[in-house]
């Protein structure tokens, strides 16, 4: 008969081999520091733009993992408004999206506030799938017990879990984030949305580890890329032992991968910013600006011929060639290879 981890003697006291985690944990902490250093090099407007993208995609990808596809425009608008990133106040596009974003913003901005049972209940309310105005259950039943999943061990487990969350430990905060994520998924306090609540809690704890709400990476986005592995790890942990070293190892490698990808992206953003600063006084037409920005995005590398330029900008081949030759004279572009019409170009 299959035995769940909660049925094992010793639950909920989970264990792990810190020696096995030490290398990847060191890499994660190092990369977090490097990323924070690069964030400090960003200008105010660029930092706001990247924070908006990161927070919005975190909401979008976490919802996608939970089986919901959100309107990206509505998410971006709500994030911009709730984080006060310079967007003018506009009518709410979708109240459900606004509530979901509110949960993510709470975890981001109020990361140092205690995580209470009421906060979990508020997150659950905010993540409601209904887009219409609804009346939610009272957060506490008539007997004063929190309205978690209706079987007796859960309220006690949640009280114990909340107490553990708000107690200072010698455990590295990044490791604690991984433990908390798994432990909440195992307790499964609600009928739905446990995954999204666990990812929200993880975001909060990782923000604590960073000691700053200027978090430009999204673990939910990386988990979404590795969804099949994530689901297998969850299933394995649910039926495994109290030693969660394997889960934590995967969690840390997943986080490291996201930090590496974010750092590469941020490096490119900084290089692009320096590029435009260097060429700020050079006169360029709209077609040239558009194509240079596309080149910075790294799209269709190797296909940047004059014909391709003409197709993208909807101009004649002669006009495209004049645009390109002008940029070569200004030392913005260079020829990659010769060969008549097959000649391609790249940023210099």
């Amino acid at each position: 008969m299959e035995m769940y981890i909660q049925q094992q003697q010793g639950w909920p006291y989970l264990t792990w081999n810190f020696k096995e985690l030490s290398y990847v944990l060191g890499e994660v902490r190092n990369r977090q520091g490097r990323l924070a250093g690069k964030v400090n090099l960003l200008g105010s407007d660029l930092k706001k733009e990247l924070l908006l993208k990161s927070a919005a995609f975190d909401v979008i990808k976490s919802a996608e993992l939970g089986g919901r596809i959100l309107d990206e425009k509505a998410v971006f608008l709500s994030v911009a408004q709730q984080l006060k990133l310079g967007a003018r106040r506009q009518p709410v596009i979708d109240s459900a999206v606004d509530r979901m974003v509110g949960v993510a913003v709470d975890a981001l901005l109020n990361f140092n506030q205690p995580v209470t049972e009421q906060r979990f209940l508020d997150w659950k309310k905010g993540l409601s799938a209904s887009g219409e105005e609804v009346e939610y259950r009272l957060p506490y039943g008539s007997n004063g017990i929190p309205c978690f999943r209706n079987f007796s061990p859960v309220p006690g487990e949640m009280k114990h879990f909340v107490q553990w969350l708000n107690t200072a430990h010698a455990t590295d905060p990044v490791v604690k984030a991984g433990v908390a994520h798994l432990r909440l998924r195992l307790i499964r306090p609600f009928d739905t949305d446990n995954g999204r609540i666990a990812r929200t809690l993880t975001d909060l704890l990782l923000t604590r580890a960073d000691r700053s709400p200027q978090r430009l990476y999204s673990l939910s986005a990386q988990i979404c890329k590795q969804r099949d592995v994530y689901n297998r790890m969850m299933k394995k942990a649910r039926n495994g032992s109290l030693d969660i070293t394997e889960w934590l190892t995967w969690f840390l490698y997943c986080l490291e991968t996201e930090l590496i990808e974010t750092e590469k992206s941020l490096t490119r953003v900084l290089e692009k910013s320096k590029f435009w600063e260097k060429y700020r006084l050079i006169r360029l037409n709209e077609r040239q600006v558009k194509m240079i920005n596309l080149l910075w995005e790294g799209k269709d590398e190797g296909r940047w011929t004059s014909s391709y330029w003409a197709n993208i900008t909807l101009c004649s081949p002669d006009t495209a060639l004049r645009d390109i030759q002008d940029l070569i004279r200004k030392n913005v572009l260079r020829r990659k290879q010769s060969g008549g019409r097959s000649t391609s170009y790249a940023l210099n």
Side-chain angles (χ1 to χ4, degrees):
M1 183 177 179
E2 191 174 52
M3 178 180 287
Y4 293 104
I5 188 172
Q6 296 98 318
Q7 296 172 283
Q8 296 191 30
Q9 186 175 2
W11 168 264
Y13 297 101
L14 303 172
T15 63
W16 55 89
N17 186 328
F18 185 76
K19 270 190 177 180
E20 290 188 29
L21 302 178
S22 59
Y23 173 77
V24 65
L25 177 60
E27 289 294 301
V28 165
R29 297 306 257 159
N30 179 47
R31 290 190 179 280
Q32 283 177 314
R34 287 169 52 176
L35 190 60
K38 290 191 175 184
V39 169
N40 289 334
L41 298 175
L42 296 172
S44 176
D45 290 343
L46 192 52
K47 189 182 294 184
K48 286 180 180 179
E49 179 186 341
L50 294 176
L51 180 60
L52 170 61
K53 288 181 179 179
S54 174
F57 278 119
D58 205 51
V59 172
I60 291 166
K61 292 303 180 181
S62 186
E64 185 179 327
L65 282 163
R68 289 209 65 193
I69 304 300
L70 302 181
D71 182 329
E72 290 192 9
K73 181 181 177 182
V75 175
F76 271 82
L77 176 60
S78 183
V79 170
Q81 291 177 352
Q82 295 192 46
L83 287 181
K84 298 180 173 59
L85 294 175
R88 293 180 180 177
R89 188 70 194 172
Q90 298 182 36
V92 175
I93 294 176
D94 188 323
S95 59
V97 167
D98 229 31
R99 291 194 305 272
M100 292 176 200
V101 169
V103 172
V105 168
D106 174 53
L108 188 65
L109 297 185
N110 303 315
F111 63 92
N112 273 328
Q113 296 299 314
V115 183
T116 62
E117 291 179 41
Q118 184 60 54
R119 200 169 181 186
F120 279 120
L121 291 161
D122 289 342
W123 286 353
K124 169 61 178 168
K125 177 180 177 180
L127 294 173
S128 168
S130 173
E132 59 187 10
E133 292 296 324
V134 295
E135 290 187 8
Y136 295 94
R137 293 184 301 173
L138 290 173
Y140 288 84
S142 58
N143 57 0
I145 296 177
C147 295
F148 295 111
R149 207 158 38 96
N150 190 27
F151 68 87
S152 57
V154 171
E157 287 193 16
M158 287 303 294
K159 284 184 182 296
H160 192 282
F161 180 55
V162 165
Q163 182 181 18
W164 174 81
L165 279 174
N166 295 298
T167 301
H169 298 97
T171 304
D172 184 282
V174 173
V175 173
K176 187 170 182 175
V179 176
H181 184 107
L182 178 63
R183 191 165 162 183
L184 187 62
R185 290 298 309 269
L186 293 174
I187 296 172
R188 201 168 64 87
F190 301 105
D191 291 328
T192 60
D193 297 320
N194 295 293
R196 286 198 285 173
I197 292 171
R199 289 186 288 276
T200 300
L201 176 61
T202 305
D203 286 343
L204 181 148
L205 294 174
L206 289 175
T207 307
R208 280 186 189 175
D210 290 336
R211 299 179 183 178
S212 169
Q214 306 287 337
R215 184 167 49 80
L216 300 185
Y217 60 90
S218 168
L219 184 60
S220 290
Q222 189 59 227
I223 290 176
C224 210
K225 293 176 185 176
Q226 303 188 40
R227 180 184 328 207
D228 292 342
V229 182
Y230 174 69
N231 290 335
R232 286 200 301 270
M233 294 301 297
M234 283 289 110
K235 183 176 180 180
K236 194 169 184 179
R238 193 174 294 121
N239 304 112
S241 71
L242 296 174
D243 185 329
I244 60 169
T245 304
E246 186 177 4
W247 154 256
L248 287 175
T249 300
W250 182 84
F251 175 85
L252 291 171
Y253 274 116
C254 185
L255 178 56
E256 183 190 21
T257 301
E258 176 61 19
L259 290 167
I260 290 171
E261 292 180 5
T262 302
E263 186 178 354
K264 286 180 180 178
S265 176
L266 192 53
T267 298
R268 198 168 183 88
V269 166
L270 287 168
E271 289 174 349
K272 181 180 177 181
S273 178
K274 290 177 183 177
F275 173 89
W276 282 118
E277 176 64 21
K278 178 180 179 181
Y279 292 104
R280 71 187 186 282
L281 299 179
I282 293 180
R283 183 175 295 177
L284 301 173
N285 61 45
E286 289 183 7
R287 296 184 303 276
Q288 290 171 322
V289 171
K290 176 180 180 178
M291 297 305 284
I292 289 170
N293 281 326
L294 286 176
L295 276 165
W296 271 109
E297 292 176 16
K299 292 184 177 180
D300 298 325
E301 291 186 17
R303 293 181 53 195
W304 286 86
T305 63
S306 57
S307 298
Y308 183 70
W309 188 290
N311 289 335
I312 296 294
T313 60
L314 303 178
C315 68
S316 70
D318 287 343
T319 299
L321 190 57
R322 282 195 297 270
D323 283 346
I324 292 169
Q325 290 172 341
D326 178 55
L327 290 175
I328 291 173
R329 284 194 299 271
K330 291 173 178 175
N331 206 32
V332 176
L333 289 185
R334 61 180 174 83
R335 290 182 179 85
K336 287 182 67 176
Q337 59 188 38
S338 298
R341 293 181 179 180
S342 67
T343 302
S344 62
Y345 305 89
L347 288 169
N348 191 12

